[in-house]
Amino acid sequence: IKYIKMSAILLGQKREGRLDSSLNKEKENDAKEQIIEGKNKTYVISKTLGKGTFGKVKMAYNINNKNEKYACKILLKSNIKDEDDNIRCKREMEILKRMHHVNVVRTYEIISTDTTYFIFMDYCGKGELFNYIVEQQHLSEEKSAFFYYQIINGVEYIHNKGVCHRDLKPENLLLTDKMKLKI
């Protein structure tokens, strides 16, 4: 981990101009809040939480209740070029809508526009299990068993729904503010 951080710092020094300008654009985009009208709620989309293959994950909240937080996966339809990718994305959205379990990230609403899919999901404020493990450096047997139980509980639910995750790893396991694990 230290090596990766060091490399990123060195790359930043070598490509100072390009890195700074891309960071400034990212900060400008995060400063602009976007309002999306849902079926029963109006969402405000704000800062970027992460990036994926087809889009970004941003923080969102209910315009009437800022304590009601969501993670909003934003998929640009223009990034989904291949028909197989399009089929996979639609299948994933259908599967996400069916999942309602304490240890599985819940999807509350999917809004489709001409250019974008907005997927509003559970916000997991503590981030990835991977980062938590790195920060702690060592997990007790009790803490490990606590997480393991939640993983098994969630996987059993998913399998009973006829779904196989196929990419279970600590980077894909999230923790809520109350330290509940979500697949």
Side-chain angles (χ1 to χ4, degrees):
I1 297 300
K2 289 178 184 173
Y3 175 77
I4 293 170
K5 287 181 184 175
M6 178 78 104
S7 296
I9 291 167
L10 291 173
L11 286 171
Q13 289 171 348
K14 286 181 185 174
R15 298 180 184 169
E16 216 169 284
R18 280 198 300 174
L19 190 62
D20 287 347
S21 67
S22 66
L23 286 174
N24 287 337
K25 285 180 185 175
E26 188 68 39
K27 286 179 184 175
E28 284 175 26
N29 289 340
D30 275 356
K32 298 175 188 174
E33 290 188 334
Q34 188 176 3
I35 296 175
I36 302 293
E37 196 70 41
K39 288 179 185 170
N40 299 316
K41 294 179 185 171
T42 301
Y43 301 94
V44 177
I45 300 173
S46 60
K47 69 179 182 176
T48 301
L49 299 172
K51 294 181 183 179
T53 307
F54 299 112
K56 295 180 181 180
V57 177
K58 291 192 166 210
M59 167 70 81
Y61 59 88
N62 181 344
I63 200 165
N64 297 320
N65 181 358
K66 289 189 176 188
N67 292 328
E68 200 176 300
K69 296 178 184 176
Y70 302 91
C72 179
K73 195 176 203 180
I74 302 170
L75 303 176
L76 298 174
K77 292 179 180 179
S78 62
N79 289 349
I80 307 169
K81 296 175 178 125
D82 188 279
E83 185 57 32
D84 289 341
D85 289 338
N86 190 32
I87 291 167
R88 275 192 289 275
C89 284
K90 287 186 178 185
R91 183 177 356 156
E92 180 182 343
M93 286 186 273
E94 287 303 315
I95 290 169
L96 289 172
K97 285 193 258 185
R98 293 187 355 225
M99 299 294 143
H100 300 283
H101 188 273
V102 68
N103 297 119
V104 178
V105 172
R106 183 170 181 188
T107 299
Y108 294 95
E109 188 167 5
I110 298 174
I111 299 169
S112 178
T113 67
D114 292 339
T115 59
T116 312
Y117 293 111
F118 296 92
I119 306 170
F120 293 91
M121 308 163 78
D122 281 331
Y123 171 68
C124 298
K126 294 287 186 189
E128 297 174 2
L129 177 62
F130 177 82
N131 293 333
Y132 179 78
I133 293 168
V134 169
E135 287 170 16
Q136 298 297 310
Q137 295 179 350
H138 173 77
L139 296 183
S140 68
E141 186 175 338
E142 184 180 330
K143 186 67 101 175
S144 298
F146 174 70
F147 289 141
Y148 184 72
Y149 170 78
Q150 292 178 83
I151 294 167
I152 296 303
N153 198 20
V155 168
E156 179 184 38
Y157 172 80
I158 291 168
H159 286 184
N160 286 338
K161 290 284 191 176
V163 176
C164 179
H165 190 287
R166 293 184 4 164
D167 197 21
L168 280 176
K169 58 187 177 186
E171 293 89 340
N172 291 338
L173 303 172
L174 302 174
L175 298 171
T176 67
D177 290 331
K178 295 180 180 180
M179 296 304 288
K180 294 284 184 191
L181 185 137
K182 296 207 176 241
I183 298 170

